[in-house]
Amino acid sequence: MSFEALDLSRLQPVLPSPLQPAEDERFARHGVRLLLKRDDLIHPELPGNKWRKLAPNLRAAAGRPVLTFGGAYSNHLRATAAAGRLLGFPTIGVVRGDELAGRPLNPSLARCAADGMTLHFVDRTTYRAKARPEVLAGLRSAFGECCVIPEGGSNALAAQGCTELGRELRGPADVVAVACGTGGTLAGLAAGLAPGQRALGIPVLRGGFLGDAVRELQQEAFGGPAGSWSLDERFHFGGYARTTPQLHTFADDFEQRHGLPVERLYVAKLLYALTALAEEGAFPAGTTVAAVVTGRP
């Protein structure tokens, strides 16, 4: 079977994504200016970093079936399934948790299935070993030859795709901040920024592993360290998919102040972190901070 390169331009992505000022006295009283990089507006079904990370991987897949990984509420699985439906290629989602196989699908997985994704549930031990050659060989034996994209879409191609985000922000901001899951967006963002700018990552998972992941991605994508970046690990609110009433109250208030629909698992944690950092005096007066809005509720 022959495959042809996918024409992603027919999905009409909004690029570069809009950059909007956000007048907010919690920043202004410290002499800090806040901008919102609205990557959530790139595409309704492949928003934000999902577009930036998936696009180069899908071009490389060239219409072959795509197999990828995620949890039961994975934004990455939903975006991959939507891309398969929109562009006409098969998708397979390897889902963490074999106990889910006998249960009704939650709304996230039901959306994946409706978009044509084949869902394959595996136990958590197997899922942790998903990058091992024997596990990948078993998946290829079950589903045939396919293009494998890692969990969260983060690999060298994804990091290279995210450099364009940094290039779009050259000039307007001193600090560009982004919420981080697997590190691919931060790795590419930092590489794309100009000298003198820095990227700030706000991990949404516990564990302290993200720094090593970003360094490894930059090595694979760029041959070594690229750009200036740092992490602040204090704002995960208990870990991935964890929130608190305090975070929801903050997000509700931010929505009312700025008319921005605030996604809770990534974007709310980012905006909360930046508000707290401004209050702590982490940004010198005169600093312009751009927050990358990577997704929507």
Side-chain angles (χ1 to χ4, degrees):
M1 184 176 181
S2 62
F3 299 99
E4 297 181 359
L6 294 176
D7 179 14
L8 274 70
S9 66
R10 61 189 174 94
L11 298 183
Q12 299 182 311
V14 177
L15 292 170
S17 61
L19 185 64
Q20 302 172 345
E23 302 297 332
D24 194 310
E25 74 276 7
R26 295 171 295 184
F27 293 83
R29 66 172 171 256
H30 300 288
V32 178
R33 183 172 180 238
L34 178 65
L35 305 175
L36 301 176
K37 178 63 168 167
R38 296 293 305 274
D39 263 21
D40 59 313
L41 300 177
I42 290 176
H43 189 275
E45 294 188 77
L46 284 77
N49 59 349
K50 300 309 170 197
W51 175 276
R52 296 190 187 274
K53 292 195 289 186
L54 273 174
N57 276 286
L58 297 182
R59 290 190 188 100
R64 288 178 293 165
V66 167
L67 182 147
T68 193
F69 306 85
Y73 292 92
S74 168
N75 294 328
H76 169 66
L77 286 183
R78 287 205 306 278
T80 304
R85 172 176 55 80
L86 292 166
L87 294 166
F89 62 87
T91 57
I92 303 103
V94 179
V95 184
R96 180 180 61 244
D98 57 345
E99 74 278 5
L100 301 172
R103 300 178 186 173
L105 297 178
N106 67 34
S108 183
L109 293 178
R111 180 70 260 171
C112 292
D115 280 343
M117 176 173 273
T118 299
L119 298 175
H120 178 64
F121 298 91
V122 298
D123 64 81
R124 292 165 191 272
T125 300
T126 301
Y127 192 87
R128 284 193 294 271
K130 58 188 175 296
R132 293 180 65 89
E134 61 270 26
V135 174
L136 292 173
L139 291 169
R140 286 194 166 101
S141 176
F143 295 105
E145 189 56 35
C146 50
C147 178
V148 176
I149 298 177
E151 180 180 34
S154 287
N155 57 11
L157 283 172
Q160 291 164 4
C162 289
T163 59
E164 188 60 31
L165 171 61
R167 286 192 285 268
E168 289 176 18
L169 285 161
R170 286 186 176 186
D174 304 295
V175 178
V176 181
V178 66
C180 302
T182 50
T185 304
L186 179 63
L189 166 63
L193 291 173
Q197 293 179 296
R198 68 181 178 94
L200 171 63
I202 305 299
V204 302
L205 290 82
R206 293 184 299 173
F209 63 89
L210 201 61
D212 287 342
V214 173
R215 282 185 283 271
E216 289 172 10
L217 282 165
Q218 288 200 332
Q219 180 66 41
E220 294 171 9
F222 313 115
S228 173
W229 60 272
S230 61
L231 297 170
D232 193 320
E233 311 243 6
R234 296 178 292 157
F235 301 101
H236 53 68
F237 286 84
Y240 182 68
R242 301 286 181 87
T243 60
T244 66
Q246 179 188 21
L247 182 65
H248 284 285
T249 298
F250 170 85
D252 289 342
D253 175 70
F254 200 96
E255 288 180 335
Q256 292 173 4
R257 288 172 184 255
H258 300 291
L260 173 77
V262 177
E263 186 273 331
R264 295 312 201 255
L265 304 186
Y266 287 85
V267 179
K269 294 179 182 182
L270 167 68
L271 296 171
Y272 184 97
L274 292 179
T275 306
L277 288 166
E279 189 64 32
E280 292 173 6
F283 306 120
T287 299
T288 297
V289 178
V292 182
V293 181
T294 48
R296 60 186 60 186

